[in-house]
Amino acid sequence: MPDPRRAIPRTDAVLAEPRIAKAAGTLGRDLVKSVVTEVQRAARAGEIAPDAIVDAVLARLPAGASSLRPVVNATGVVVHTNLGRAPLSAAALDALAAAGGATDVEFDLVTGDRARRGRGALAALQAAVPDAGGVHVVNNNAAALLLCALALAPGREIVVSRGELVEIGDGFRIPDLLESAGARLREVGTTNRTSARDYAAAIGPETGFVLKVHPSNYRVTGFTAEAALGELAGLGVPLVADIGSGLLAPHPLLPDEPDAASALRAGATIVTASGDKLLGGPQAGLLLGDAAVVERLRRHPAARALRVDKLTLAALEATLRGPRPPVLAALEASVTSLRERAEALVAALGDVDALVVASVAAVGGGGAPGVELPSVAVSLPARYAAALRTGEPAVAGRVVKDRCLLDLRTVRPEEDAKLREAVRRCG
C-alpha cells in the first residue's frame, strides 16, 4: 500500500494557498510557517488527514500577530490591573491608529522646524487642570515620583509619614523606589497617626521635599489622624502629592478620592497621578503643578529615559478632549440600566441556567478602597467560569458561592452580544 504521508503537501505549497498567503501577509510568514509545520507533523502522525491540512492550519492561526487576547471584563472591577486597567475610548483607539505611522509628534508642519514633543496632549492636560502652572507626562505614576526624587532630592531627605510607605503591587515599594534615586527617607509620625507638627519638626537644610502619598489601595481605620495638604503647604519646602488614581477633578461618586485640582488649590507644589486609572486613558504618569518646578523636572536628564511615545500621547489627548471614557461610563451606569441589560441577556439565553442577581462592583486599580458600587450580574453555574475564560471571545467573570457571576457594570453595552454568544457556546 502507498504511504499516506506522501499525500501531505509540501510546506511551500501550503504557504502558497491563497487563504494561507493572505494570513501570512497579516500575521507574518514565520508565524504562519510554524503553524504549517506543526500541522504537517500532526498529519504524519495520522492525527489529521492530508486533505484537511489547510483547514487545520487556518483553524490554528491566531487572530493577530500579538499574543495578547481581547477579554470581556465581567469581573465587576472597573479598573482591573491584570486586564490592562482602563479600557480606551473609541476616540483614543482612533487616535492610536492615526499615530501609528509618521506623525507630527515633534514637528511643526507650518515652519518645517522641530516643535515641542506632544504639545497637543500637554495642552489638553493643562486645559483639564487649569490650576496647574505646568504639566509633564512620563510613562507611569511610579516614574513621575521617581523623577521628583531625582530632580528635587538627590542625596537629600524626603519627609514622609510612616503611614504612607506604600507597596504599589508586585512587591514594588515606594520607599525602595525613592531610595533608588539616591534620596534618604525621613519618616515621621506613626503608622496610624501623623500630624503637621511631625512634618514641621523634620524640616531642615537636608530636606528635598515633603511627600504626601494617598493610600489608595488600603484603608487604616479607628484611632487615626493625618495632616491635610493645606497644613503642609507652608513649611518652606516643595510639597509633592501623589494622588495615585488620576482623578483630575472631584467626582460625586468618589467623595473621599483626592483629585489633582483640589490638591493644587490646597497648596501642593507638584501632583503626580496615573493616566490609566480613573482618568480612563493610557498608561502614563502625570505631573502637574508649579511651572518652574515642572520645567526643572522636564529638563532633568532622566526625563528622557522616562518619556512616553507618540501612541501614549495620542491616546492621552483623545481621552482628555474626547467623549466620556469607558471607565467613567462604568462608574456612572445606573443600576436600572444594568438590570434591564441583564434581564435581556438572560431572556436571550433561553434554557441556559442563568439568573439575574444583585452584585457589588469595585473601582479597582488601587483607587477608592472600600467603595462599593451597587451592580447587577448574570449568574451561571460555576463550570462556566473556566470555559468562558478560554473561549472566544475570552470572558473573565468571578465565582461566588458556586456560581459564575458576570457583572455588567464592567461590560460595555456594545459587548452584550459578544457576551451572549460566548455563554451560548459554553452551554
Side-chain angles (χ1 to χ4, degrees), residues 19 61 65 105 117 139 148 156 166 171 214 216 220 256 266 292 329 336:
R19 291 173 295 168
L61 287 175
V105 62
R117 182 180 180 85
N139 52 28
C148 288
R156 306 182 71 192
V166 179
H214 175 55
S216 58
V220 178
D256 297 324
T336 299

Side-chain angles (χ1 to χ4, degrees), residues 32-44 47-48 57 60:
V32 173
K33 185 177 179 180
S34 69
V35 175
V36 170
T37 302
E38 175 187 319
V39 171
Q40 288 174 320
R41 189 179 300 115
R44 292 188 188 99
E47 299 168 7
I48 297 173
V57 169
R60 295 190 187 192

Side-chain angles (χ1 to χ4, degrees), residues 6-279:
R6 293 182 180 277
I8 295 173
R10 300 189 317 272
T11 301
D12 58 347
V14 178
L15 289 170
E17 201 277 340
R19 291 173 295 168
I20 303 293
K22 181 179 179 182
T26 301
L27 301 175
R29 181 181 172 86
D30 289 345
L31 188 155
V32 173
K33 185 177 179 180
S34 69
V35 175
V36 170
T37 302
E38 175 187 319
V39 171
Q40 288 174 320
R41 189 179 300 115
R44 292 188 188 99
E47 299 168 7
I48 297 173
D51 60 358
I53 283 179
V54 170
D55 288 339
V57 169
L58 292 170
R60 295 190 187 192
L61 287 175
S66 169
S67 63
L68 291 176
R69 290 184 61 194
V71 178
V72 176
N73 177 11
T75 65
V77 179
V78 176
V79 181
H80 199 303
T81 296
N82 303 131
L83 296 180
R85 291 187 175 166
L88 296 179
S89 66
L93 293 173
D94 288 343
L96 285 174
T103 181
D104 61 342
V105 62
E106 51 182 275
F107 182 69
D108 189 322
L109 292 171
V110 175
T111 66
D113 297 328
R114 182 172 183 167
R116 185 178 181 186
R117 182 180 180 85
R119 57 203 178 278
L122 296 174
L125 182 58
Q126 189 128 31
V129 189
D131 294 280
V135 298
H136 187 57
V137 181
V138 290
N139 52 28
N140 60 23
N141 190 39
L145 198 52
L146 179 66
L147 186 57
C148 288
L150 289 168
L152 305 180
R156 306 182 71 192
E157 292 182 345
I158 297 173
V159 179
V160 60
S161 168
R162 288 187 174 90
E164 298 174 3
L165 300 177
V166 179
E167 182 172 311
I168 55 179
D170 197 24
F172 290 95
R173 296 175 172 178
I174 293 293
D176 297 338
L177 178 75
L178 299 174
E179 288 172 345
S180 73
R184 303 189 304 276
L185 294 188
R186 179 71 179 272
E187 300 174 20
V188 298
T190 63
T191 302
N192 60 318
R193 294 178 68 85
T194 305
S195 69
R197 293 190 304 275
D198 294 322
Y199 290 92
I203 301 296
E206 291 297 303
T207 304
F209 62 87
V210 168
L211 173 63
K212 193 81 174 67
V213 180
H214 175 55
S216 58
N217 56 2
Y218 68 96
R219 288 189 303 168
V220 178
T221 60
F223 186 56
T224 63
E226 64 173 305
L229 280 174
E231 297 179 88
L232 306 178
L235 296 179
V237 295
L239 172 59
V240 176
D242 175 7
I243 64 170
S245 61
L247 202 59
L248 299 187
H251 194 289
L253 291 177
L254 307 170
D256 297 324
E257 192 71 8
D259 66 275
S262 298
L264 291 171
R265 290 172 192 161
T269 310
I270 293 291
V271 171
T272 71
S274 295
D276 56 349
K277 295 183 181 180
L278 292 176
L279 178 60

